Amino acid sequence: MEEKMNHPYINFIDLPVEILYIILNKLDNVDVLYSLFGINNKRLDFIIQDHIFSNTLNLTKIVNNAPIFDRFRNFIIPEIRSNVKCLIVDSSSIEQIHYPNVNHLKFTNFQRDNSLQHFQDESPVGCILKNQITKLELTNIDRESTKTSWERYTQTVYAHILNYSKKLEHLGVFRKTVYGNPPLSVHNLSANTFSSCTLTYLSIYVSTFTDCLCLLDGRLKQLNTFIVQTYSMDTDTSAVHNWDDLPKIKCFSFISHDIIEEFDDKVISLLRRMLNLTKLTLYLRIKSQNQFLNPTCIITEYSMYMKHLHSFDYYISIENCRDNYIHTEQKCLNLSREVSNIVNFAPKKVTYHLFTVPVQFKTLQYIGNTFPNIIFQNVIELYVDDIIPFEHEFFLRIAKSFPLLQRLMLANYTSPLHASKQSPQEIDSNTIARFPNLSSLCIINVGTRYIEQFLNENRTNLPCLTILRVLYEDLRAVTEDFTRDATRYNCANIRELKTYSNIVGSKDFHMYFPLLNS
């Protein structure tokens, strides 16, 4: 031992077991299994066969790489097969799910046409999906655009899967993109269309608030965790609902990106039925027409009815008429969580944002020049507007505070004649606003100043920009009829361009956007 300690080099396999676990736990388990399995070292063989490294197996990472997949199939999987509890698959790898103890399936890139066929008795994996899987998570990439097609999709896909998988206790349906994927739409369908006596956990997008109420009318009798998102707070007055209390619901997450006007009649009425909530997550955008609504009062009203609550994350955005705005000190329930706020002024309205920190949500809408100096680690979609002009320093702060930002929409109500305090020549390489993940940018009706800010590579770096919405004449002016080198780099990867008018003029346009037709 002393000789080994005095040696200037220590091999990886000589490290203490505790250190090896720490190192390997930071790596992808598929990489660990592939790299270390079968190297004839008893210590490593013992470690990598631990359930920590073989409980979950991501087949989507290896199925398209023949040499790696063959090694897994012939040597590694036979040794760990009985350990695997969770499988990550897509349509090309789902037929490889014959594991005796698997009960959790994550289905990436789910599409009705090539994925739903597996949820049939005739399928080679139908029996496993029907009788073995208790936890199912689908990442849906289908596209449907009409309410009629949403109802048909609900019947043929969502309801079929729920009815077919007899042991299902946990169902999560997620979207690959923010918009377009078909939501659940049940309010015009019979009550037994989407029902279960075994489901305890449901995470899903719904078409309207009415659909949310329908799912709580008794058709999911064992449900205790309900995570729901909607882009419409519409209600169907003809729909008849069961308004009984919901004592089994312990965890409720409600995210609405639509403006809520009948606030008390909808959200508060629903929450008052959940007598035993222990965990609550709310994302609400509220509009007040005639009087100032104080977000603190709303949070307080929630908490009055929740004696068992121990976790409460929220983002409450309240839009008031500017004439009714009253500045108030904000003190509210935080359950040992930090609470922050943003106040944003527009020509006729003032929007007050109140939220727990760290922010758990992916979208923030209508913030302005003033926001707290915190990192919004989870936000990928941001809408900014203000009556005060945005300067370059503002975009530097946005880039720093929203490191994972993917979609940005900009609006500004200042005069288009406003001149920037800082010219492009004054920006050095150390103060370029860098957005490494930004893929979608909407800068319409803001004049050429902000188009210059984003497209000029000497001011902003956008290596992943693929979607741009901008007025054609403004774009043409900033790019100098699509010949300017300084704006060429940030346009080079654009695959979708919305200009709101016919593209005419420069012969250099298609050279400037080489991927538009690819």
Side-chain angles (χ1 to χ4, degrees):
M1 176 66 72
E2 183 177 350
E3 180 182 352
K4 190 173 286 188
M5 293 298 292
N6 291 331
H7 198 283
Y9 302 104
I10 298 178
N11 290 325
F12 175 75
I13 59 176
D14 293 326
L15 291 172
V17 171
E18 295 79 4
I19 302 299
L20 288 173
Y21 266 102
I22 292 173
I23 295 173
L24 296 177
N25 265 325
K26 295 182 179 297
L27 305 176
D28 187 283
N29 72 312
V30 169
D31 294 331
V32 171
L33 291 169
Y34 180 75
S35 301
L36 301 180
F37 200 92
I39 65 173
N40 297 322
N41 182 279
K42 291 183 179 180
R43 293 174 76 238
L44 287 181
D45 283 345
F46 176 79
I47 290 173
I48 64 176
Q49 290 188 59
D50 190 297
H51 288 264
I52 295 174
F53 303 107
S54 53
N55 264 351
T56 299
L57 184 59
N58 187 349
L59 293 177
T60 64
K61 293 191 64 175
I62 60 176
V63 70
N64 293 322
N65 189 318
I68 294 178
F69 184 69
D70 287 344
R71 183 161 185 258
F72 264 89
R73 182 176 54 190
N74 297 326
F75 301 104
I76 300 176
I77 290 178
E79 296 295 327
I80 66 170
R81 185 182 298 274
S82 60
N83 289 350
V84 177
K85 302 290 182 62
C86 172
L87 276 173
I88 304 173
V89 300
D90 57 18
S91 292
S92 63
S93 61
I94 190 172
E95 294 190 4
Q96 310 293 331
I97 69 171
H98 297 283
Y99 297 80
N101 296 312
V102 66
N103 55 31
H104 181 188
L105 188 67
K106 294 183 180 180
F107 203 140
T108 65
N109 297 330
F110 179 91
Q111 286 183 296
R112 171 180 50 195
D113 292 344
N114 59 14
S115 304
L116 192 61
Q117 60 183 321
H118 300 294
F119 294 84
Q120 307 286 343
D121 288 342
E122 297 78 14
S123 167
V125 296
C127 183
I128 294 174
L129 293 170
K130 186 174 186 177
N131 300 310
Q132 196 168 315
I133 300 300
T134 61
K135 186 174 182 179
L136 178 64
E137 296 174 280
L138 307 175
T139 301
N140 194 335
I141 62 172
D142 278 329
R143 308 279 291 188
E144 298 285 351
S145 58
T146 67
K147 290 185 177 181
T148 301
S149 65
W150 293 344
E151 291 177 0
R152 183 169 59 250
Y153 195 95
T154 295
Q155 288 178 300
T156 59
V157 179
Y158 297 138
H160 173 76
I161 290 174
L162 183 60
N163 292 332
Y164 185 78
S165 301
K166 301 297 184 182
K167 298 293 183 67
L168 206 59
E169 299 174 4
H170 177 124
L171 176 61
V173 179
F174 309 101
R175 293 181 169 192
K176 193 83 169 183
T177 58
V178 176
Y179 304 103
N181 305 106
L184 187 80
S185 181
V186 296
H187 66 275
N188 287 325
L189 305 176
S190 63
N192 62 356
T193 299
F194 190 86
S195 61
S196 171
C197 293
T198 61
L199 202 67
T200 61
Y201 176 107
L202 177 62
S203 176
I204 201 157
Y205 284 79
V206 296
S207 173
T208 66
F209 185 68
T210 299
D211 295 296
C212 174
L213 296 177
C214 288
L215 292 174
L216 296 171
D217 65 3
R219 68 183 71 198
L220 303 173
K221 299 182 184 301
Q222 303 303 319
L223 196 66
N224 59 51
T225 298
F226 187 31
I227 300 171
V228 60
Q229 294 196 45
T230 182
Y231 282 88
S232 172
M233 288 301 294
D234 290 346
T235 53
D236 183 353
T237 56
S238 65
V240 179
H241 300 292
N242 179 350
W243 291 99
D244 292 344
D245 288 341
L246 300 163
K248 288 188 177 181
I249 300 292
K250 301 294 181 63
C251 175
F252 180 54
S253 174
F254 182 73
I255 296 177
S256 171
H257 298 282
D258 194 13
I259 288 287
I260 305 172
E261 296 184 354
E262 304 87 0
F263 168 68
D264 288 341
D265 294 338
K266 292 183 177 179
V267 180
I268 292 227
S269 297
L270 176 57
L271 290 174
R272 285 176 178 169
R273 298 167 58 196
M274 300 178 180
L275 306 177
N276 297 314
L277 273 182
T278 60
K279 183 176 182 180
L280 175 62
T281 302
L282 293 174
Y283 181 104
L284 304 174
R285 298 178 59 221
I286 302 166
K287 183 175 183 179
S288 175
Q289 297 283 4
N290 302 316
Q291 62 180 352
F292 174 73
L293 273 183
N294 187 330
T296 300
C297 296
I298 291 173
I299 296 298
T300 302
E301 187 167 1
Y302 286 150
S303 62
M304 287 173 59
Y305 300 94
M306 301 176 189
K307 298 179 181 179
H308 305 286
L309 198 65
H310 63 74
S311 175
F312 188 10
D313 287 305
Y314 54 82
Y315 167 84
I316 311 292
S317 168
I318 300 182
E319 179 185 311
N320 288 286
C321 173
R322 190 162 181 176
D323 294 336
N324 296 334
Y325 176 67
I326 304 171
H327 176 74
T328 58
E329 294 297 326
Q330 306 297 329
K331 294 180 180 180
C332 56
L333 175 73
N334 60 27
L335 294 176
S336 301
R337 293 288 302 280
E338 180 184 349
V339 178
S340 190
N341 65 78
I342 300 171
V343 181
N344 184 35
F345 294 91
K348 295 183 179 180
K349 66 181 182 180
V350 56
T351 304
Y352 200 110
H353 311 265
L354 194 68
F355 49 90
T356 49
V357 179
V359 177
Q360 302 296 316
F361 306 100
K362 294 184 177 181
T363 301
L364 288 186
Q365 303 192 50
Y366 305 112
I367 70 168
N369 273 280
T370 303
F371 59 90
N373 187 26
I374 59 177
I375 302 299
F376 296 82
Q377 188 64 50
N378 294 304
V379 174
I380 63 173
E381 183 174 51
L382 179 66
Y383 297 75
V384 297
D385 68 349
D386 209 324
I387 55 176
I388 300 173
F390 299 119
E391 298 293 347
H392 181 72
E393 291 76 10
F394 170 78
F395 298 108
L396 288 174
R397 290 184 61 218
I398 291 291
K400 179 180 178 181
S401 296
F402 299 86
L404 299 183
L405 193 63
Q406 297 177 18
R407 293 177 289 276
L408 175 63
M409 185 179 80
L410 178 71
N412 191 251
Y413 304 107
T414 189
S415 167
L417 299 178
H418 170 82
S420 174
K421 297 177 182 177
Q422 198 169 28
S423 67
Q425 290 74 22
E426 295 171 338
I427 304 296
D428 61 53
S429 60
N430 294 324
T431 57
I432 293 176
R434 301 183 186 279
F435 295 89
N437 302 296
L438 192 70
S439 61
S440 177
L441 176 64
C442 180
I443 42 176
I444 61 173
N445 297 324
V446 293
T448 58
R449 176 169 173 263
Y450 296 116
I451 301 172
E452 168 75 24
Q453 167 67 45
F454 280 100
L455 296 189
N456 187 341
E457 65 175 303
N458 297 314
R459 301 176 70 86
T460 304
N461 179 254
L462 300 173
C464 294
L465 185 65
T466 57
I467 302 173
L468 177 63
R469 290 173 173 81
V470 60
L471 295 183
Y472 177 69
E473 290 302 326
D474 291 340
L475 177 64
R476 187 176 181 183
V478 169
T479 60
E480 298 176 1
D481 207 14
F482 310 105
T483 62
R484 186 182 177 193
D485 288 338
T487 52
R488 188 180 300 274
Y489 173 81
N490 285 337
C491 295
N493 295 317
I494 291 175
R495 295 179 178 273
E496 180 181 327
L497 179 64
K498 182 72 173 178
T499 59
Y500 305 93
S501 65
N502 293 329
I503 297 174
V504 295
S506 174
K507 60 182 177 56
D508 298 306
F509 173 83
H510 293 290
M511 295 178 61
Y512 217 77
F513 299 96
L515 301 183
L516 277 185
N517 297 321
S518 62

